[in-house]
Amino acid sequence: MSEITPDLVRHLGVLARIQLDDAEVTRLTGELDAIVDNIAKVGQVARDDVPATSHPIALQNVFRPDEVGTMLTTEQALQNAPDADGGRFRVTAILAEEEQ
């Protein structure tokens, strides 16, 4: 059994700025206690002679060759654009001007 107490859960709630009622404190005390106990069990079986792994099998990146393909012309790229200007897409400004 770990050392998770209702007072510790209340303190964690204050640190996280979460208001907890008594029912939530009771529920979280049990849940956090179970989590800490399970982490302790994993720590018991972890050995120094076993390398840490992030995946059970080795991963390998698969890259395709970087080859030049056919490209759209400017007219083709802009043909369905709702608004264009000078060979560029025209979009609504998303940054507000600073008010003076």
Side-chain angles (χ1 to χ4, degrees):
M1 186 107 179
S2 70
E3 299 175 8
I4 303 296
T5 64
D7 288 336
L8 179 59
V9 172
R10 284 187 188 89
H11 178 67
L12 292 173
V14 169
L15 292 176
R17 297 181 180 168
I18 300 172
Q19 192 172 23
L20 300 172
D21 61 28
D22 289 339
E24 291 171 321
V25 169
T26 302
R27 179 178 55 83
L28 289 173
T29 300
E31 289 177 2
L32 290 173
D33 192 47
I35 291 169
V36 170
D37 286 344
N38 286 320
I39 292 171
K41 289 178 188 175
V42 171
Q44 292 172 354
V45 297
R47 308 233 348 210
D48 292 337
D49 59 339
V50 178
T53 58
S54 61
H55 292 74
I57 57 174
L59 297 179
Q60 177 182 356
N61 286 332
V62 179
F63 297 104
R64 64 173 172 77
D66 192 11
E67 299 171 355
V68 177
T70 58
M71 296 174 47
L72 296 176
T73 65
T74 303
E75 293 77 26
Q76 289 172 326
L78 296 173
Q79 72 183 0
N80 293 323
D83 195 6
D85 180 32
R88 293 177 286 201
F89 293 99
R90 183 191 306 252
V91 296
T92 306
I94 59 171
L95 301 174
E97 295 290 328
E98 290 186 31
E99 295 182 24
Q100 301 206 18

Coordinates of all heavy atoms in Angstrom, one line a residue:
M1 N 0.9 -1.2 0.0 CA 0.0 0.0 0.0 C 0.9 1.2 0.0 O 1.9 1.3 0.7 CB -0.9 0.0 1.2 CG -1.9 1.0 1.3 SD -3.5 0.3 1.0 CE -4.5 1.7 1.1
S2 N 0.6 2.2 -0.8 CA 1.4 3.4 -1.0 C 1.0 4.4 0.1 O 0.1 4.1 0.9 CB 1.2 4.0 -2.3 OG -0.1 4.5 -2.5
E3 N 1.6 5.5 0.1 CA 1.4 6.6 1.1 C 0.4 7.7 0.6 O 0.5 8.8 1.0 CB 2.7 7.1 1.5 CG 3.6 6.1 2.1 CD 5.0 6.7 2.4 OE1 5.2 7.9 2.3 OE2 5.9 5.9 2.7
I4 N -0.5 7.3 -0.3 CA -1.5 8.3 -0.8 C -2.6 8.5 0.3 O -3.3 7.5 0.6 CB -2.1 7.9 -2.1 CG1 -1.0 7.6 -3.2 CG2 -3.1 8.9 -2.6 CD1 -0.2 8.8 -3.6
T5 N -2.7 9.7 0.8 CA -3.7 10.0 1.8 C -4.6 11.0 1.3 O -4.3 11.7 0.3 CB -3.0 10.5 3.1 OG1 -2.4 11.7 2.8 CG2 -2.0 9.5 3.6
P6 N -5.8 11.1 1.9 CA -6.8 12.2 1.5 C -6.1 13.6 1.6 O -6.4 14.4 0.8 CB -7.9 12.0 2.4 CG -7.9 10.6 2.8 CD -6.4 10.2 2.9
D7 N -5.3 13.8 2.6 CA -4.7 15.1 2.8 C -3.7 15.4 1.6 O -3.6 16.5 1.1 CB -3.9 15.2 4.1 CG -4.8 15.3 5.3 OD1 -6.0 15.7 5.1 OD2 -4.4 14.9 6.4
L8 N -3.0 14.3 1.1 CA -2.1 14.5 0.0 C -2.9 14.8 -1.3 O -2.5 15.7 -2.1 CB -1.3 13.2 -0.2 CG -0.3 13.3 -1.4 CD1 0.7 14.4 -1.3 CD2 0.4 11.9 -1.5
V9 N -4.0 14.1 -1.4 CA -4.9 14.4 -2.6 C -5.4 15.8 -2.6 O -5.5 16.5 -3.6 CB -6.0 13.4 -2.7 CG1 -7.0 13.7 -3.8 CG2 -5.5 12.0 -2.9
R10 N -5.9 16.3 -1.4 CA -6.3 17.7 -1.3 C -5.2 18.6 -1.6 O -5.4 19.6 -2.3 CB -6.8 17.9 0.1 CG -8.2 17.3 0.4 CD -8.7 17.8 1.8 NE -9.9 17.1 2.1 CZ -10.0 15.9 2.7 NH1 -8.8 15.3 3.2 NH2 -11.1 15.3 3.0
H11 N -4.0 18.3 -1.1 CA -2.8 19.2 -1.4 C -2.6 19.2 -2.9 O -2.3 20.3 -3.5 CB -1.6 18.7 -0.7 CG -0.4 19.5 -1.0 ND1 -0.2 20.8 -0.6 CD2 0.8 19.1 -1.6 CE1 1.0 21.2 -1.0 NE2 1.6 20.2 -1.6
L12 N -2.6 18.1 -3.6 CA -2.4 18.0 -5.0 C -3.5 18.8 -5.8 O -3.2 19.4 -6.8 CB -2.4 16.6 -5.5 CG -1.2 15.7 -5.1 CD1 -1.4 14.3 -5.5 CD2 0.1 16.3 -5.7
G13 N -4.7 18.7 -5.3 CA -5.8 19.5 -5.8 C -5.5 21.0 -5.8 O -5.8 21.8 -6.7
V14 N -5.0 21.5 -4.6 CA -4.7 22.9 -4.5 C -3.5 23.3 -5.4 O -3.6 24.3 -6.1 CB -4.2 23.2 -3.0 CG1 -3.6 24.5 -2.9 CG2 -5.4 23.0 -2.1
L15 N -2.5 22.4 -5.5 CA -1.4 22.7 -6.5 C -1.9 22.8 -7.9 O -1.4 23.6 -8.7 CB -0.3 21.6 -6.3 CG 0.4 21.6 -5.0 CD1 1.4 20.5 -5.0 CD2 1.2 22.9 -4.8
A16 N -2.9 21.9 -8.3 CA -3.4 21.9 -9.6 C -4.5 22.9 -9.8 O -5.1 23.0 -10.9 CB -3.9 20.5 -10.0
R17 N -4.9 23.6 -8.7 CA -6.0 24.5 -8.7 C -7.3 23.9 -9.2 O -8.0 24.4 -10.0 CB -5.6 25.7 -9.6 CG -4.4 26.5 -9.1 CD -4.1 27.7 -10.0 NE -2.9 28.3 -9.4 CZ -2.2 29.2 -10.0 NH1 -2.6 29.7 -11.1 NH2 -1.2 29.8 -9.4
I18 N -7.5 22.7 -8.6 CA -8.7 22.0 -8.8 C -9.5 21.9 -7.5 O -8.9 21.4 -6.5 CB -8.4 20.5 -9.4 CG1 -7.7 20.6 -10.7 CG2 -9.7 19.8 -9.6 CD1 -7.2 19.3 -11.1
Q19 N -10.7 22.3 -7.5 CA -11.5 22.2 -6.3 C -12.1 20.8 -6.2 O -12.9 20.4 -7.1 CB -12.6 23.3 -6.4 CG -13.3 23.5 -5.1 CD -14.3 24.7 -5.1 OE1 -14.7 25.1 -6.2 NE2 -14.6 25.2 -4.0
L20 N -11.8 20.1 -5.2 CA -12.3 18.7 -5.0 C -13.2 18.7 -3.8 O -12.9 19.2 -2.7 CB -11.1 17.8 -4.8 CG -10.1 17.7 -5.9 CD1 -8.9 16.9 -5.4 CD2 -10.7 17.1 -7.1
D21 N -14.4 18.0 -4.0 CA -15.2 17.7 -2.8 C -14.8 16.4 -2.2 O -13.9 15.7 -2.6 CB -16.7 17.7 -3.2 CG -17.0 16.6 -4.2 OD1 -16.4 15.6 -4.2 OD2 -18.0 16.8 -5.0
D22 N -15.4 16.1 -1.0 CA -15.0 14.9 -0.2 C -15.1 13.6 -1.0 O -14.3 12.7 -0.9 CB -15.8 14.9 1.1 CG -15.4 16.0 2.0 OD1 -14.3 16.5 1.9 OD2 -16.2 16.3 2.9
A23 N -16.2 13.5 -1.8 CA -16.4 12.3 -2.6 C -15.3 12.1 -3.6 O -14.8 11.0 -3.8 CB -17.7 12.3 -3.3
E24 N -14.9 13.2 -4.3 CA -13.8 13.1 -5.2 C -12.5 12.8 -4.6 O -11.7 12.1 -5.1 CB -13.7 14.5 -6.0 CG -14.9 14.7 -6.9 CD -14.9 16.1 -7.5 OE1 -14.5 17.1 -6.8 OE2 -15.2 16.2 -8.7
V25 N -12.2 13.4 -3.4 CA -11.0 13.1 -2.7 C -10.9 11.6 -2.3 O -9.9 11.0 -2.5 CB -10.9 14.0 -1.4 CG1 -9.8 13.5 -0.5 CG2 -10.7 15.4 -1.8
T26 N -12.0 11.1 -1.9 CA -12.1 9.6 -1.5 C -11.8 8.8 -2.8 O -11.0 7.8 -2.7 CB -13.4 9.3 -0.9 OG1 -13.6 10.1 0.3 CG2 -13.5 7.8 -0.5
R27 N -12.5 9.1 -3.9 CA -12.3 8.3 -5.1 C -10.9 8.4 -5.6 O -10.2 7.4 -6.0 CB -13.3 8.8 -6.2 CG -13.2 8.0 -7.5 CD -14.3 8.5 -8.5 NE -14.2 10.0 -8.7 CZ -13.4 10.6 -9.6 NH1 -12.5 9.9 -10.3 NH2 -13.4 11.9 -9.8
L28 N -10.4 9.7 -5.7 CA -9.0 9.9 -6.2 C -7.9 9.3 -5.3 O -6.9 8.8 -5.8 CB -8.7 11.4 -6.4 CG -9.5 12.0 -7.6 CD1 -9.3 13.5 -7.6 CD2 -9.1 11.4 -8.9
T29 N -8.2 9.2 -4.0 CA -7.2 8.6 -3.1 C -7.0 7.1 -3.5 O -5.9 6.6 -3.6 CB -7.7 8.7 -1.6 OG1 -7.8 10.1 -1.3 CG2 -6.7 8.1 -0.7
G30 N -8.1 6.4 -3.7 CA -8.1 5.0 -4.1 C -7.4 4.8 -5.5 O -6.6 3.9 -5.7
E31 N -7.8 5.7 -6.4 CA -7.3 5.5 -7.8 C -5.8 5.8 -7.8 O -5.0 5.1 -8.4 CB -8.0 6.5 -8.7 CG -9.5 6.0 -9.0 CD -10.2 7.0 -9.9 OE1 -9.6 8.0 -10.3 OE2 -11.4 6.7 -10.1
L32 N -5.4 6.9 -7.2 CA -3.9 7.3 -7.2 C -3.1 6.2 -6.4 O -2.0 5.9 -6.8 CB -3.7 8.7 -6.5 CG -4.2 9.8 -7.4 CD1 -4.1 11.1 -6.6 CD2 -3.4 9.9 -8.7
D33 N -3.7 5.7 -5.3 CA -3.0 4.6 -4.6 C -2.8 3.4 -5.5 O -1.7 2.8 -5.5 CB -3.9 4.2 -3.4 CG -3.1 3.4 -2.4 OD1 -2.0 3.7 -2.1 OD2 -3.7 2.3 -2.0
A34 N -3.8 3.0 -6.3 CA -3.7 1.9 -7.2 C -2.6 2.2 -8.2 O -1.8 1.3 -8.6 CB -5.0 1.5 -7.8
I35 N -2.6 3.4 -8.8 CA -1.6 3.7 -9.8 C -0.2 3.7 -9.2 O 0.7 3.1 -9.8 CB -1.9 5.2 -10.3 CG1 -3.2 5.1 -11.2 CG2 -0.7 5.7 -11.2 CD1 -3.7 6.5 -11.5
V36 N 0.0 4.2 -8.0 CA 1.3 4.2 -7.4 C 1.8 2.8 -7.1 O 2.9 2.4 -7.3 CB 1.4 5.1 -6.2 CG1 2.7 4.9 -5.4 CG2 1.2 6.6 -6.5
D37 N 0.9 2.0 -6.6 CA 1.2 0.6 -6.4 C 1.6 -0.2 -7.6 O 2.5 -1.0 -7.6 CB 0.0 -0.2 -5.7 CG -0.2 0.3 -4.2 OD1 0.8 0.8 -3.7 OD2 -1.3 0.0 -3.7
N38 N 0.9 0.0 -8.7 CA 1.2 -0.6 -10.0 C 2.6 -0.2 -10.5 O 3.3 -1.0 -11.1 CB 0.1 -0.4 -11.0 CG -1.1 -1.3 -10.7 OD1 -1.0 -2.4 -10.3 ND2 -2.3 -0.7 -10.9
I39 N 2.9 1.1 -10.4 CA 4.2 1.6 -10.8 C 5.3 1.0 -10.0 O 6.4 0.6 -10.5 CB 4.2 3.1 -10.7 CG1 3.3 3.7 -11.8 CG2 5.7 3.7 -10.9 CD1 3.1 5.2 -11.7
A40 N 5.0 0.8 -8.7 CA 6.0 0.1 -7.8 C 6.2 -1.3 -8.2 O 7.4 -1.8 -8.2 CB 5.5 0.2 -6.3
K41 N 5.2 -2.0 -8.7 CA 5.3 -3.4 -9.1 C 6.2 -3.4 -10.4 O 7.1 -4.3 -10.5 CB 4.0 -4.0 -9.4 CG 3.2 -4.3 -8.2 CD 1.8 -4.9 -8.6 CE 0.9 -5.0 -7.3 NZ -0.4 -5.4 -7.7
V42 N 6.0 -2.5 -11.3 CA 6.9 -2.5 -12.5 C 8.3 -2.2 -12.1 O 9.2 -2.8 -12.6 CB 6.4 -1.4 -13.5 CG1 7.4 -1.2 -14.6 CG2 5.0 -1.7 -14.0
G43 N 8.5 -1.3 -11.1 CA 9.9 -1.0 -10.6 C 10.6 -2.3 -10.0 O 11.8 -2.4 -10.1
Q44 N 9.8 -3.2 -9.5 CA 10.4 -4.4 -8.9 C 10.9 -5.3 -9.9 O 11.8 -6.1 -9.7 CB 9.3 -5.1 -8.0 CG 8.9 -4.3 -6.8 CD 7.8 -5.0 -6.0 OE1 7.2 -5.9 -6.5 NE2 7.4 -4.4 -4.9
V45 N 10.2 -5.4 -11.1 CA 10.7 -6.3 -12.1 C 11.7 -5.7 -13.1 O 12.3 -6.4 -13.8 CB 9.5 -6.9 -12.9 CG1 8.6 -7.7 -11.9 CG2 8.7 -5.9 -13.6
A46 N 11.8 -4.4 -13.1 CA 12.7 -3.8 -14.0 C 14.1 -4.1 -13.5 O 14.5 -3.9 -12.3 CB 12.5 -2.3 -14.0
R47 N 15.0 -4.6 -14.4 CA 16.3 -5.0 -14.0 C 17.3 -4.2 -14.8 O 17.1 -3.7 -15.9 CB 16.5 -6.5 -14.3 CG 15.4 -7.3 -13.7 CD 15.9 -8.4 -12.9 NE 17.3 -8.7 -13.0 CZ 17.9 -9.9 -12.8 NH1 17.1 -10.9 -12.6 NH2 19.2 -10.0 -12.8
D48 N 18.5 -4.0 -14.2 CA 19.6 -3.2 -14.9 C 20.1 -3.9 -16.1 O 20.6 -3.3 -17.0 CB 20.7 -3.0 -13.9 CG 20.3 -2.0 -12.8 OD1 19.4 -1.2 -13.0 OD2 21.0 -2.0 -11.7
D49 N 20.0 -5.3 -16.2 CA 20.6 -6.0 -17.3 C 19.6 -6.1 -18.5 O 19.9 -6.6 -19.5 CB 21.0 -7.4 -16.9 CG 19.8 -8.2 -16.3 OD1 18.8 -7.6 -15.9 OD2 19.9 -9.5 -16.3
V50 N 18.4 -5.5 -18.4 CA 17.4 -5.5 -19.4 C 17.4 -4.1 -20.0 O 17.0 -3.1 -19.3 CB 16.0 -5.9 -18.9 CG1 15.0 -5.8 -20.1 CG2 16.1 -7.3 -18.3
P51 N 17.7 -3.9 -21.3 CA 17.7 -2.5 -21.9 C 16.3 -2.0 -22.0 O 15.3 -2.7 -22.2 CB 18.3 -2.7 -23.2 CG 18.1 -4.1 -23.6 CD 18.1 -4.9 -22.3
A52 N 16.2 -0.7 -21.7 CA 14.8 0.0 -21.9 C 14.4 0.0 -23.3 O 15.2 0.2 -24.2 CB 14.9 1.4 -21.3
T53 N 13.2 -0.3 -23.6 CA 12.6 -0.2 -24.9 C 11.4 0.6 -25.0 O 10.6 0.7 -24.0 CB 12.3 -1.7 -25.4 OG1 11.3 -2.2 -24.5 CG2 13.5 -2.6 -25.5
S54 N 11.2 1.2 -26.2 CA 9.9 2.0 -26.3 C 9.0 1.2 -27.2 O 7.8 1.5 -27.2 CB 10.2 3.3 -27.0 OG 10.8 3.1 -28.3
H55 N 9.5 0.2 -27.9 CA 8.6 -0.7 -28.8 C 9.1 -2.1 -28.6 O 10.3 -2.4 -28.5 CB 8.7 -0.2 -30.2 CG 8.2 1.1 -30.5 ND1 8.8 2.3 -30.1 CD2 7.0 1.5 -31.1 CE1 8.0 3.3 -30.5 NE2 7.0 2.8 -31.1
P56 N 8.1 -3.1 -28.7 CA 8.5 -4.5 -28.6 C 9.3 -5.0 -29.8 O 10.0 -6.0 -29.7 CB 7.2 -5.2 -28.4 CG 6.2 -4.3 -29.0 CD 6.7 -2.9 -28.8
I57 N 9.2 -4.4 -30.9 CA 9.9 -4.8 -32.1 C 10.7 -3.6 -32.6 O 10.3 -2.4 -32.4 CB 9.0 -5.3 -33.2 CG1 8.0 -4.3 -33.6 CG2 8.4 -6.6 -32.8 CD1 7.1 -4.7 -34.8
A58 N 11.8 -3.8 -33.3 CA 12.6 -2.7 -33.8 C 11.9 -2.0 -34.9 O 11.2 -2.6 -35.8 CB 13.9 -3.3 -34.4
L59 N 12.0 -0.7 -34.9 CA 11.3 0.1 -35.9 C 12.3 0.6 -37.0 O 13.5 0.8 -36.6 CB 10.7 1.4 -35.3 CG 9.6 1.1 -34.3 CD1 9.0 2.4 -33.7 CD2 8.4 0.3 -34.9
Q60 N 11.9 0.7 -38.2 CA 12.7 1.2 -39.2 C 11.9 2.1 -40.1 O 10.8 1.8 -40.5 CB 13.2 0.0 -40.1 CG 14.1 0.4 -41.2 CD 14.5 -0.8 -42.1 OE1 14.2 -1.9 -41.7 NE2 15.2 -0.5 -43.2
N61 N 12.5 3.3 -40.4 CA 11.8 4.3 -41.3 C 11.9 3.8 -42.7 O 13.0 3.3 -43.1 CB 12.4 5.7 -41.2 CG 12.1 6.3 -39.9 OD1 11.0 6.1 -39.3 ND2 12.9 7.2 -39.4
V62 N 10.8 3.9 -43.4 CA 10.8 3.5 -44.8 C 10.6 4.8 -45.6 O 9.6 5.4 -45.5 CB 9.7 2.5 -45.1 CG1 9.7 2.1 -46.6 CG2 9.9 1.3 -44.2
F63 N 11.6 5.1 -46.4 CA 11.5 6.3 -47.2 C 11.4 6.0 -48.7 O 12.0 5.0 -49.2 CB 12.7 7.2 -47.0 CG 12.9 7.7 -45.6 CD1 13.8 7.2 -44.8 CD2 12.0 8.8 -45.2 CE1 13.9 7.7 -43.5 CE2 12.2 9.3 -43.9 CZ 13.1 8.7 -43.0
R64 N 10.6 6.7 -49.4 CA 10.6 6.5 -50.9 C 11.6 7.4 -51.5 O 12.0 8.4 -50.9 CB 9.2 6.8 -51.4 CG 8.7 8.2 -51.3 CD 7.4 8.5 -52.0 NE 6.9 9.8 -51.7 CZ 7.3 10.9 -52.3 NH1 8.3 10.9 -53.1 NH2 6.8 12.0 -51.9
P65 N 12.0 7.1 -52.7 CA 13.0 8.0 -53.4 C 12.4 9.4 -53.6 O 11.2 9.4 -54.0 CB 13.3 7.3 -54.7 CG 12.8 5.9 -54.6 CD 11.7 5.9 -53.5
D66 N 13.1 10.4 -53.5 CA 12.6 11.8 -53.7 C 12.9 12.1 -55.2 O 14.0 12.4 -55.6 CB 13.4 12.7 -52.8 CG 12.8 14.1 -52.8 OD1 11.6 14.2 -53.3 OD2 13.4 15.0 -52.3
E67 N 11.8 11.9 -56.0 CA 11.9 12.1 -57.4 C 11.0 13.3 -57.8 O 9.9 13.4 -57.3 CB 11.5 10.9 -58.1 CG 12.4 9.7 -57.8 CD 11.9 8.4 -58.4 OE1 10.7 8.4 -58.9 OE2 12.6 7.4 -58.2
V68 N 11.5 14.1 -58.8 CA 10.7 15.2 -59.3 C 9.5 14.6 -60.1 O 9.7 13.8 -61.0 CB 11.5 16.1 -60.1 CG1 10.7 17.2 -60.7 CG2 12.7 16.7 -59.3
G69 N 8.3 15.1 -59.9 CA 7.2 14.6 -60.7 C 6.6 15.8 -61.4 O 7.1 16.9 -61.5
T70 N 5.4 15.6 -62.0 CA 4.7 16.6 -62.7 C 4.2 17.6 -61.7 O 3.7 17.2 -60.7 CB 3.6 16.1 -63.6 OG1 2.7 15.4 -62.8 CG2 4.2 15.2 -64.7
M71 N 4.2 18.9 -62.1 CA 3.8 19.9 -61.2 C 2.6 20.7 -61.8 O 2.5 20.7 -63.0 CB 4.9 20.9 -60.8 CG 6.0 20.2 -60.1 SD 7.5 21.3 -59.9 CE 6.8 22.8 -59.3
L72 N 1.8 21.2 -61.0 CA 0.7 22.1 -61.5 C 1.2 23.4 -61.9 O 2.1 24.0 -61.3 CB -0.4 22.3 -60.4 CG -1.1 21.1 -59.8 CD1 -2.0 21.6 -58.7 CD2 -1.9 20.5 -60.9
T73 N 0.6 23.9 -62.9 CA 0.9 25.3 -63.3 C 0.2 26.3 -62.3 O -0.7 25.8 -61.6 CB 0.4 25.6 -64.8 OG1 -1.0 25.6 -64.8 CG2 1.0 24.7 -65.8
T74 N 0.6 27.5 -62.3 CA -0.1 28.5 -61.5 C -1.5 28.6 -61.8 O -2.4 28.6 -60.8 CB 0.6 29.9 -61.6 OG1 2.0 29.7 -61.3 CG2 0.0 30.9 -60.7
E75 N -1.9 28.5 -63.0 CA -3.3 28.6 -63.4 C -4.1 27.4 -62.9 O -5.2 27.5 -62.4 CB -3.5 28.7 -64.9 CG -2.9 30.0 -65.5 CD -1.4 30.1 -65.6 OE1 -0.8 29.0 -65.7 OE2 -0.9 31.2 -65.6
Q76 N -3.5 26.2 -63.0 CA -4.2 25.0 -62.5 C -4.3 25.0 -61.0 O -5.4 24.6 -60.5 CB -3.3 23.8 -62.9 CG -3.4 23.4 -64.4 CD -2.4 22.3 -64.7 OE1 -1.3 22.2 -64.1 NE2 -2.8 21.5 -65.7
A77 N -3.3 25.5 -60.3 CA -3.4 25.6 -58.9 C -4.5 26.6 -58.4 O -5.2 26.3 -57.4 CB -2.1 25.9 -58.3
L78 N -4.7 27.6 -59.1 CA -5.6 28.7 -58.7 C -7.0 28.6 -59.3 O -7.9 29.4 -59.0 CB -5.0 30.1 -59.1 CG -3.7 30.4 -58.3 CD1 -3.2 31.8 -58.9 CD2 -4.0 30.6 -56.9
Q79 N -7.2 27.6 -60.2 CA -8.5 27.5 -60.9 C -9.7 27.4 -60.1 O -10.8 27.9 -60.4 CB -8.4 26.4 -62.0 CG -8.5 25.0 -61.4 CD -8.4 23.9 -62.5 OE1 -8.3 24.3 -63.7 NE2 -8.4 22.7 -62.1
N80 N -9.6 26.7 -58.9 CA -10.8 26.6 -58.0 C -10.7 27.4 -56.8 O -11.5 27.3 -55.9 CB -10.9 25.1 -57.6 CG -11.3 24.2 -58.8 OD1 -12.1 24.7 -59.6 ND2 -10.8 23.0 -58.8
A81 N -9.7 28.3 -56.7 CA -9.5 29.2 -55.6 C -10.7 30.2 -55.5 O -11.0 30.8 -56.6 CB -8.2 29.9 -55.6
P82 N -11.2 30.5 -54.4 CA -12.3 31.4 -54.3 C -11.9 32.8 -54.6 O -12.6 33.7 -55.1 CB -12.8 31.3 -52.8 CG -11.8 30.5 -52.1 CD -11.0 29.8 -53.1
D83 N -10.6 33.2 -54.3 CA -10.1 34.5 -54.6 C -8.6 34.4 -54.8 O -7.9 33.7 -54.1 CB -10.4 35.4 -53.5 CG -10.2 36.9 -53.8 OD1 -10.0 37.2 -55.0 OD2 -10.3 37.7 -52.9
A84 N -8.1 35.0 -55.9 CA -6.6 35.0 -56.2 C -6.2 36.4 -56.7 O -7.0 37.2 -57.1 CB -6.3 34.0 -57.3
D85 N -4.9 36.7 -56.5 CA -4.4 38.0 -56.9 C -3.0 37.8 -57.3 O -2.1 37.4 -56.5 CB -4.5 39.0 -55.7 CG -4.0 40.3 -56.1 OD1 -4.1 40.7 -57.3 OD2 -3.5 41.0 -55.2
G86 N -2.7 38.1 -58.5 CA -1.3 38.1 -59.0 C -0.6 36.7 -58.9 O 0.6 36.7 -58.5
G87 N -1.3 35.7 -59.1 CA -0.7 34.3 -59.1 C -0.6 33.8 -57.7 O 0.1 32.8 -57.4
R88 N -1.3 34.4 -56.7 CA -1.3 33.9 -55.3 C -2.7 33.8 -54.8 O -3.7 34.4 -55.3 CB -0.5 34.9 -54.4 CG 0.9 34.9 -54.8 CD 1.6 35.9 -53.9 NE 1.2 37.3 -54.5 CZ 1.9 38.4 -54.3 NH1 3.0 38.3 -53.5 NH2 1.5 39.5 -54.8
F89 N -2.9 32.9 -53.8 CA -4.2 32.8 -53.1 C -4.4 34.0 -52.3 O -3.5 34.5 -51.6 CB -4.2 31.5 -52.2 CG -4.2 30.2 -52.9 CD1 -3.0 29.5 -53.0 CD2 -5.3 29.7 -53.5 CE1 -2.9 28.3 -53.7 CE2 -5.2 28.5 -54.2 CZ -4.0 27.8 -54.3
R90 N -5.6 34.6 -52.3 CA -6.0 35.7 -51.4 C -6.8 35.1 -50.3 O -7.8 34.4 -50.5 CB -6.7 36.8 -52.2 CG -7.0 38.0 -51.3 CD -8.0 38.9 -51.9 NE -7.6 39.3 -53.2 CZ -7.2 40.5 -53.5 NH1 -7.1 41.5 -52.6 NH2 -6.9 40.9 -54.7
V91 N -6.4 35.4 -49.1 CA -7.1 34.9 -47.9 C -7.4 36.0 -47.0 O -6.8 37.1 -47.0 CB -6.3 33.8 -47.1 CG1 -6.1 32.6 -48.0 CG2 -5.0 34.3 -46.7
T92 N -8.4 35.7 -46.0 CA -8.7 36.7 -45.1 C -7.6 36.9 -44.0 O -7.0 35.9 -43.6 CB -10.0 36.3 -44.3 OG1 -11.0 36.0 -45.3 CG2 -10.5 37.3 -43.3
A93 N -7.3 38.1 -43.7 CA -6.3 38.4 -42.7 C -6.7 37.8 -41.4 O -7.8 37.8 -40.9 CB -6.1 39.9 -42.5
I94 N -5.7 37.1 -40.7 CA -6.0 36.5 -39.4 C -5.4 37.3 -38.2 O -5.7 37.0 -37.1 CB -5.6 35.0 -39.4 CG1 -4.0 34.9 -39.6 CG2 -6.3 34.2 -40.4 CD1 -3.5 33.6 -39.4
L95 N -4.5 38.2 -38.5 CA -3.9 39.0 -37.5 C -4.5 40.3 -37.5 O -4.6 41.0 -38.5 CB -2.4 39.1 -37.7 CG -1.6 37.8 -37.8 CD1 -0.1 38.1 -38.2 CD2 -1.7 37.1 -36.5
A96 N -5.0 40.7 -36.3 CA -5.7 42.0 -36.2 C -4.6 43.1 -36.2 O -3.5 43.0 -35.7 CB -6.5 42.1 -34.9
E97 N -5.0 44.3 -36.8 CA -4.1 45.4 -36.7 C -4.1 46.0 -35.3 O -5.1 46.0 -34.6 CB -4.6 46.5 -37.7 CG -4.6 46.1 -39.1 CD -3.2 46.0 -39.7 OE1 -2.3 46.8 -39.2 OE2 -2.9 45.1 -40.5
E98 N -3.0 46.5 -34.9 CA -2.9 47.1 -33.6 C -3.7 48.4 -33.6 O -3.6 49.2 -34.5 CB -1.5 47.3 -33.1 CG -0.7 46.1 -32.9 CD 0.6 46.4 -32.3 OE1 0.8 47.4 -31.6 OE2 1.6 45.6 -32.6
E99 N -4.6 48.5 -32.6 CA -5.3 49.8 -32.5 C -4.5 50.9 -31.9 O -3.7 50.7 -31.0 CB -6.6 49.5 -31.6 CG -7.5 48.6 -32.3 CD -8.8 48.4 -31.5 OE1 -9.1 49.3 -30.7 OE2 -9.4 47.3 -31.6
Q100 N -4.6 52.1 -32.4 CA -3.8 53.2 -31.9 C -4.6 54.1 -31.1 O -5.7 54.3 -31.2 CB -3.2 53.9 -33.1 CG -2.3 52.9 -33.9 CD -1.2 53.6 -34.6 OE1 -0.9 54.7 -34.3 NE2 -0.6 52.9 -35.6

